[in-house]
Amino acid sequence: MRIRQLTILIILFGFQLFPVAAQNPELSDVPASAGDILQAFPLTDRTLSFNLSESGEHKDVNWGLDLAWRDKNNIIRGMAFMGPENVDIIRSSFMPTEPLLGDTALQGGALIYTKERIKIINDLLGPNTKVALNCDHPSVHSYFQGNAVNWANLIDVTTKMHQEAGFDVVTVSPFNEPDYSYTGQGTIDDFYNIIRELNKIPRFDSIRISGGNTLNNDQALYWYNYLNPAGLEEGNTHQLAGSFDTYAEFFQAVRTNGDHATADEMHNVMDAMVGLEYGLQTGIWWGWAEYARGEFCKVTKGERLGYAEHRPNWTAASVYRGQDGKVQAFCGSSERQAVSTTYTYISKDRDVYYDGYGPQRQFILEMPGGTGYQQGQTNAEKVINITWGDDIQPIINGRYLLVNRNSGKVMEVAGGSTAAGTNVRQATSTAATYQQWNVTPVDARVGGDFSYFSFKVVNSGKSIDVYNWSLENGGNIAIWDDTKGSNQQWYLEYAEDGWFYIRSRHSAKCLEVANNSTANGANIQQWDFDGGSNQQWRFVPVDAPVEFDAPDAPTNLVATANAESVRLDWTASPEDDVEEYTIFRSETSGGPYNTIARNVKSTAFVDNTCTIGGQYYYKIKAVDKSLNSSDYSTEVEAITTGDHDLVAHYKFNENTRDSSINLNHGATFGAIGYVQGKAAGSAIELNGEDAFIQLPATIASQEKITIATWVHWNGGSLLQRIFEFANDDSEYMYLTPMLFAIKNGGSEKRLTTTALPEGEWAHIAITLGEAGVRMYLNGEMVKESTEINIRPIEFKPILNYIGRDQKSVRLFNGSLDDFRIYNYELSGEEIAAIYEDIKTDVATVAEDFESSFAVYPNPVNKVLKFSYSNRELKSDASLKLYDVFGSLVLEEQLGNKFDGELNVSAIPAGIYLLTLTNGEELTTKKIIVRH
């Protein structure tokens, strides 16, 4: 029957080993697809979904830095990472350490340190800077203890000094962490009385009074509510103890009351994420801000696309899109209370790259935690760049030569020395070990932000180091013993075309070749980012030459459209050092283009992320070992046909590859096995504990669909999933040994039947289409419903599994074979035919039969020649040429003929399948016809 014949052709088209056409012997024309890099992801604690096609939520917020810890370098570093334009406020302090002179002037250390803070603000930020004042209380003089008037006068005097320096004091906080203070600030009633006194001073008519700045956020609402009647206008808490619930509820309560919500001592990006989610309006970093914190301050000027939290574990995650369109994911944990937590980020509408990993929908990140305060806590936080488009950063994790874009020379240790303190410079590449660098992500428990890399020279294992912790332009770069200090950690900022800026965790400055020199021996130093080519570096594999000659573009690109995929074939770039190809796709001619595949080691690729009836434009580039990219190939167009077709066919013959033309390969997780199958070959065995198969994200996004498979169930829970295609608890469809269910935001719709037999094979199929939903068992319909009208295209499930549900708690225990997905509603007769004819594989091809069949030239223009040397053809031997849709184009009966020609000049250019059968065996060759 026709369905079976098409299946045979599709299988061969997907897996026949074709002659190698590429110049590089490592490249072949065996088609690649996105399924080749699919990963099976384990269950995580929380999932965060985001949609890049939708508008997000914007919340106004002011971000600031802290001078209560009186350290100029903290402000310098924070400004470098946040950008001066994003430093909206500075926290300064008043000091109750010495009595006022005549009740109107500071003296002693209070005067000295207040002037120092004012000078730092003026030097670094200038006039008109917004200032928040709170109490710096290393000790409290008896002059102030219990005396609200004196305390209020201290705040007034300090406020006046800041105002006279040109600063805009917007808020004052009489006490700092009064719930935990042991320095004698005072009681809650003292705080109350100070507020009353401040409200008598005209200066504070336009300045908010803030409280109570509690250390334990469980106490924050108590202090705020108690003090509010005295004239409090701002609620304020820190997060160093307490429950997640009270932290979130505090900001909500303050905003509901019409007051300003503040956290003026944030210790982790988690504090900021959670606070902003529930109403935070001002957040100030205690100590400093580094990469993750700085990027968060920048991107939150845009809009939030997604948010997730784990309240018991004190962790949170988010995705934001900045005003410039940059998209970043963040994750953070409480400085003192976090428990290790895993998060899954899911891009709902497209494949993306997570710090270069992709294209993929999912990304998993674990935030480390501990068991209590200072018990394994690392104050962990991280930022991840989410990208797409035609220029994607390469993944960095390995051994490289670091090549400077301006000079073409590489970074090396002077003289090849292994001594700590040896200078780092540039030189012509010799690939010596003192020019080779192991560049790896830092450990998640490195302390604080772990968005960085370490750079260790191969010959000594020492690290690139900002010498003497310099924050200055021109600070020297040397090697030093690996201390894992922030001056030995680096973050990568992508420039373009494989070039990066390498920036210091300590200073945020870039590694550069001094004075734009191109000379050997020129010094490498740090400097403010300026975009110069002397600040750009390429990570070239150590076995590749340092050269910049781009390969020629690939030629003869051909796009062949299928029902739900497009196959691309091309002639390899002629250079010997071509390493791989990059595939680009657009929905409009001329772009913009998106990178849909990289590292393709083939001259054929199947784009299986298409939609039915989609119009697409493709280009490709060749990439050599030195990371040079060719020009684009010519553009080709394809329109998917939308015909009824087999979307995926998993035979489980010792693998989870899709034998359909679409190459929607699956990926496994856990302890899988293979056993004797129901169809020809093996079946996959799942243990019901940790084993499952993950399928591509777009595979079930169908208007109509049929899923059919052979099942050998070992028994157990009736809720075990044979498959589940889902997004979350409100969008899913699944099949168990006794029921099918589907949901799209409303109530779950079900189709139930008697349970499958245990310990024996049974064939089950589900169809969704115009007839509603139908369930078939062993070729016969056993249940149907015309009331269920939900279709998977309506919610486009991304988390698609065989043998698992989205929660990973109902894993299938048994074996599966011949799992099929169609993009249409099969009839009862077609399902019965699948059931009755379980041996759907093509006949086994003897090795000598296949190897003795040759065709040439290929690609062919007019005449295709063939030869067969086995000399064992039967009388019914034939040669048939099919197009990719299974239609017979040419046929020749061979009889005793062992060689000959086929004239293909009259058939359209494209991809064809040439089959030879000797009556018992069958083999197939892929033919490319070009005119």
Side-chain angles (χ1 to χ4, degrees):
M1 61 183 295
R2 181 172 173 80
I3 290 178
R4 187 179 176 193
Q5 182 186 59
L6 279 172
T7 302
I8 293 173
L9 292 173
I10 289 168
I11 293 166
L12 291 172
F13 191 60
F15 286 95
Q16 178 69 35
L17 293 176
F18 304 122
V20 174
Q23 298 298 315
N24 188 321
E26 295 181 2
L27 299 174
S28 75
D29 63 355
V30 175
S33 78
D36 294 329
I37 64 168
L38 182 70
Q39 298 180 65
F41 292 95
L43 179 70
T44 57
D45 296 308
R46 292 292 185 269
T47 296
L48 187 162
S49 298
F50 59 95
N51 192 323
L52 295 168
S53 301
E54 295 180 354
S55 298
E57 181 180 5
H58 172 76
K59 295 182 179 182
D60 290 326
V61 63
N62 295 309
W63 301 117
L65 292 168
D66 172 51
L67 266 175
W69 179 355
R70 198 180 61 260
D71 188 329
K72 181 178 180 178
N73 286 344
N74 285 344
I75 306 300
I76 292 173
R77 296 186 66 221
M79 291 175 62
F81 284 99
M82 292 170 62
E85 69 280 5
N86 296 305
V87 181
D88 303 305
I89 191 168
I90 293 288
R91 184 173 80 153
S92 188
S93 297
F94 57 88
M95 301 185 67
T97 54
E98 288 94 5
L100 294 173
L101 288 175
D103 297 335
T104 60
L106 303 181
Q107 64 174 321
L111 178 62
I112 293 170
Y113 296 138
T114 300
K115 285 184 176 181
E116 182 180 336
R117 288 185 172 103
I118 289 172
K119 186 177 189 306
I120 291 172
I121 299 171
N122 189 64
D123 289 348
L124 298 180
L125 288 156
N128 303 315
T129 301
K130 287 183 170 57
V131 170
L133 288 178
N134 83 334
C135 180
D136 178 12
H137 51 91
S139 64
V140 178
H141 196 278
S142 59
Y143 173 84
F144 299 104
Q145 291 177 343
N147 191 316
V149 173
N150 288 350
W151 199 284
N153 286 339
L154 170 65
I155 297 173
D156 183 44
V157 170
T158 309
T159 301
K160 181 182 178 182
M161 290 179 65
H162 283 79
Q163 289 176 331
E164 289 176 344
F167 308 144
D168 180 13
V169 180
V170 296
T171 178
V172 297
S173 306
F175 288 175
N176 183 58
E177 297 183 346
D179 58 320
Y180 194 69
S181 175
Y182 52 87
T183 56
Q185 289 178 99
T187 66
I188 195 168
D189 290 318
D190 290 330
F191 199 138
Y192 188 98
N193 292 331
I194 294 169
I195 295 172
R196 296 286 297 270
E197 292 301 321
L198 288 172
N199 281 322
K200 296 176 183 179
I201 303 173
R203 188 185 312 279
F204 297 97
D205 290 348
S206 58
I207 297 174
R208 296 189 304 271
I209 301 174
S210 178
N213 308 60
T214 51
L215 177 147
N216 186 330
N217 51 250
D218 284 353
Q219 298 297 314
L221 197 55
Y222 165 72
W223 279 77
Y224 170 76
N225 286 336
Y226 190 94
L227 300 171
N228 197 260
L232 204 65
E233 300 164 290
E234 182 172 335
N236 196 334
T237 189
H238 306 161
Q239 197 295 291
L240 296 171
S243 76
F244 195 121
D245 290 346
T246 60
Y247 185 67
E249 290 165 2
F250 173 73
F251 297 116
Q252 292 174 316
V254 171
R255 293 298 300 275
T256 299
N257 200 42
D259 287 336
H260 195 87
T262 293
D264 72 350
E265 192 175 297
M266 300 185 305
H267 290 245
N268 190 278
V269 74
M270 183 228 65
D271 303 13
M273 280 190 288
V274 177
L276 188 55
E277 189 67 18
Y278 294 104
L280 178 71
Q281 293 167 286
T282 295
I284 298 174
W285 302 109
W286 182 79
W288 55 81
E290 294 180 342
Y291 183 44
R293 299 179 187 183
E295 293 299 290
F296 189 75
C297 292
K298 296 172 187 175
V299 79
T300 50
K301 303 298 183 182
E303 52 191 8
R304 181 185 59 71
L305 301 179
Y307 173 81
E309 63 188 31
H310 195 306
R311 293 196 172 198
N313 287 9
W314 262 112
T315 60
S318 63
V319 174
Y320 278 82
R321 177 168 50 219
Q323 291 177 318
D324 59 357
K326 188 175 184 178
V327 177
Q328 293 171 296
F330 299 85
C331 204
S333 58
S334 170
E335 181 192 68
R336 302 185 180 187
Q337 298 175 268
V339 176
S340 295
T341 312
T342 51
Y343 282 88
T344 298
Y345 298 84
I346 297 179
S347 173
K348 293 189 69 173
D349 63 324
R350 70 186 73 173
D351 288 341
V352 295
Y353 293 82
Y354 298 87
D355 280 346
Y357 288 90
Q360 59 197 53
R361 296 296 184 94
Q362 289 180 259
F363 182 82
I364 289 182
L365 180 64
E366 180 175 359
M367 296 304 294
T371 58
Y373 180 44
Q374 296 185 339
Q375 301 297 313
Q377 300 291 356
T378 61
N379 198 19
E381 51 195 344
K382 186 175 176 66
V383 56
I384 302 151
N385 293 299
I386 299 173
T387 55
W388 63 97
D390 63 351
D391 188 3
I392 304 298
Q393 72 165 77
I395 296 169
I396 303 300
N397 188 355
R399 183 171 293 184
Y400 305 97
L401 303 172
L402 303 182
V403 183
N404 187 263
R405 188 172 191 175
N406 180 62
S407 65
K409 293 182 165 56
V410 302
M411 184 183 298
E412 71 168 19
V413 178
S417 173
T418 61
T422 304
N423 200 46
V424 175
R425 65 187 187 184
Q426 74 171 7
T428 301
S429 174
T430 62
T433 56
Y434 57 89
Q435 293 181 340
Q436 298 181 23
W437 302 88
N438 289 321
V439 185
T440 56
V442 299
D443 188 88
R445 291 189 172 273
V446 73
D449 192 352
F450 62 98
S451 308
Y452 308 102
F453 291 80
S454 67
F455 288 64
K456 296 180 182 179
V457 66
V458 170
N459 74 322
S460 69
K462 288 183 168 57
S463 295
I464 295 179
D465 180 288
V466 179
Y467 199 67
N468 286 333
W469 298 79
S470 173
L471 290 172
E472 301 299 322
N473 282 334
N476 200 42
I477 307 301
I479 59 167
W480 202 267
D481 295 337
D482 179 29
T483 65
K484 297 179 173 56
S486 64
N487 66 328
Q488 294 183 347
Q489 298 177 46
W490 309 85
Y491 66 99
L492 304 180
E493 193 169 277
Y494 188 57
E496 61 178 0
D497 193 28
W499 300 98
F500 288 87
Y501 301 99
I502 303 173
R503 305 186 67 168
S504 169
R505 175 179 183 173
H506 177 62
S507 66
K509 296 183 187 298
C510 299
L511 288 182
E512 69 167 26
V513 177
N515 301 316
N516 289 290
S517 176
T518 60
N520 284 335
N523 193 43
I524 293 175
Q525 62 186 17
Q526 70 173 6
W527 202 271
D528 290 336
F529 169 84
D530 60 22
S533 60
N534 66 321
Q535 293 185 340
Q536 297 178 34
W537 303 86
R538 180 175 281 180
F539 295 72
V540 174
V542 294
D543 60 349
V546 176
E547 54 89 8
F548 305 97
D549 294 327
D552 290 340
T555 56
N556 299 319
L557 179 61
V558 175
T560 304
N562 305 310
E564 295 198 9
S565 65
V566 174
R567 173 164 173 152
L568 303 173
D569 290 87
W570 60 90
T571 300
S573 180
E575 281 82 356
D576 291 338
D577 65 341
V578 169
E579 182 76 4
E580 60 201 35
Y581 295 93
T582 305
I583 316 297
F584 305 90
R585 188 181 78 187
S586 176
E587 295 183 12
T588 57
S589 180
Y593 277 89
N594 188 44
T595 306
I596 63 170
R598 298 191 299 178
N599 308 314
V600 174
K601 307 286 188 179
S602 171
T603 56
F605 180 80
V606 174
D607 177 13
N608 53 26
T609 63
C610 304
T611 59
I612 293 177
Q615 184 173 11
Y616 302 100
Y617 300 85
Y618 297 90
K619 291 183 178 182
I620 59 176
K621 287 184 177 183
V623 182
D624 67 22
K625 293 181 179 179
S626 302
L627 308 186
N628 301 303
S629 293
S630 73
D631 291 334
Y632 282 118
S633 70
T634 55
E635 180 184 79
V636 295
E637 177 187 6
I639 302 175
T640 50
T641 67
D643 293 340
H644 288 178
D645 205 355
L646 184 68
V647 175
H649 188 185
Y650 303 102
K651 295 185 174 184
F652 301 132
N653 288 333
E654 304 295 330
N655 61 58
T656 55
R657 297 181 69 82
D658 169 26
S659 60
S660 84
I661 201 170
N662 304 306
L663 306 188
N664 281 307
H665 308 316
T668 62
F669 187 90
I672 66 161
Y674 292 94
V675 297
Q676 179 62 45
K678 181 64 175 176
S682 61
I684 197 164
E685 183 179 43
L686 305 178
N687 60 17
E689 297 176 359
D690 66 349
F692 63 88
I693 306 162
Q694 185 153 355
L695 304 181
T698 59
I699 198 167
S701 297
Q702 309 293 341
E703 179 67 35
K704 301 174 183 178
I705 194 169
T706 297
I707 303 114
T709 186
W710 285 90
V711 181
H712 189 282
W713 181 42
N714 293 337
S717 170
L718 290 173
L719 294 179
Q720 293 177 30
R721 300 300 200 258
I722 297 171
F723 69 80
E724 179 162 336
F725 304 150
N727 289 323
D728 51 40
D729 288 337
S730 65
E731 298 175 346
Y732 57 76
M733 58 186 288
Y734 65 79
L735 178 67
T736 78
M738 67 168 294
L739 70 88
F740 169 79
I742 189 167
K743 183 178 182 181
N744 183 23
S747 60
E748 182 181 276
K749 308 297 183 182
R750 290 187 169 192
L751 199 64
T752 61
T753 185
T754 56
L756 293 178
E758 296 182 24
E760 61 182 77
W761 285 102
H763 188 265
I764 191 165
I766 297 291
T767 67
L768 288 79
E770 293 178 358
V773 178
R774 290 177 172 174
M775 181 183 294
Y776 295 82
L777 182 62
N778 291 333
E780 297 183 359
M781 188 176 70
V782 293
K783 203 78 172 181
E784 69 174 323
S785 172
T786 58
E787 303 299 319
I788 302 176
N789 56 11
I790 303 171
R791 300 295 176 261
I793 190 64
E794 297 168 9
F795 56 91
K796 297 179 180 178
I798 294 170
L799 304 175
N800 302 322
Y801 305 109
I802 297 174
R804 171 195 155 171
D805 69 316
Q806 58 180 301
K807 300 295 186 183
S808 196
V809 295
R810 302 181 179 94
L811 296 167
F812 184 74
N813 183 11
S815 302
L816 297 162
D817 198 5
D818 197 54
F819 193 103
R820 307 180 185 207
I821 302 173
Y822 294 85
N823 67 356
Y824 65 103
E825 179 185 18
L826 267 65
S827 68
E829 291 78 10
E830 290 172 310
I831 290 173
I834 294 173
Y835 166 69
E836 293 168 0
D837 191 5
I838 60 172
K839 293 185 177 181
T840 57
D841 287 345
V842 298
T844 301
V845 181
E847 183 176 352
D848 59 346
F849 178 71
E850 181 175 350
S851 62
S852 61
F853 177 43
V855 294
Y856 56 93
N858 190 13
V860 61
N861 185 10
K862 294 181 179 180
V863 176
L864 180 70
K865 297 181 180 182
F866 65 89
S867 64
Y868 178 67
S869 58
N870 192 288
R871 307 288 169 174
E872 293 184 3
L873 291 179
K874 310 297 183 183
S875 60
D876 58 350
S878 64
L879 199 64
K880 296 181 181 181
L881 187 69
Y882 295 90
D883 66 19
V884 293
F885 306 111
S887 299
L888 183 63
V889 178
L890 294 174
E891 180 177 10
E892 181 170 344
Q893 297 297 323
L894 296 183
N896 294 320
K897 185 178 180 181
F898 295 97
D899 53 59
E901 298 178 348
L902 287 178
N903 189 331
V904 296
S905 60
I907 68 174
I911 309 297
Y912 294 85
L913 300 171
L914 183 67
T915 66
L916 169 67
T917 178
N918 65 4
E920 295 178 355
E921 299 165 317
L922 175 71
T923 188
T924 297
K925 301 290 186 183
K926 180 195 72 170
I927 306 299
I928 301 175
V929 176
R930 296 195 175 111
H931 299 308

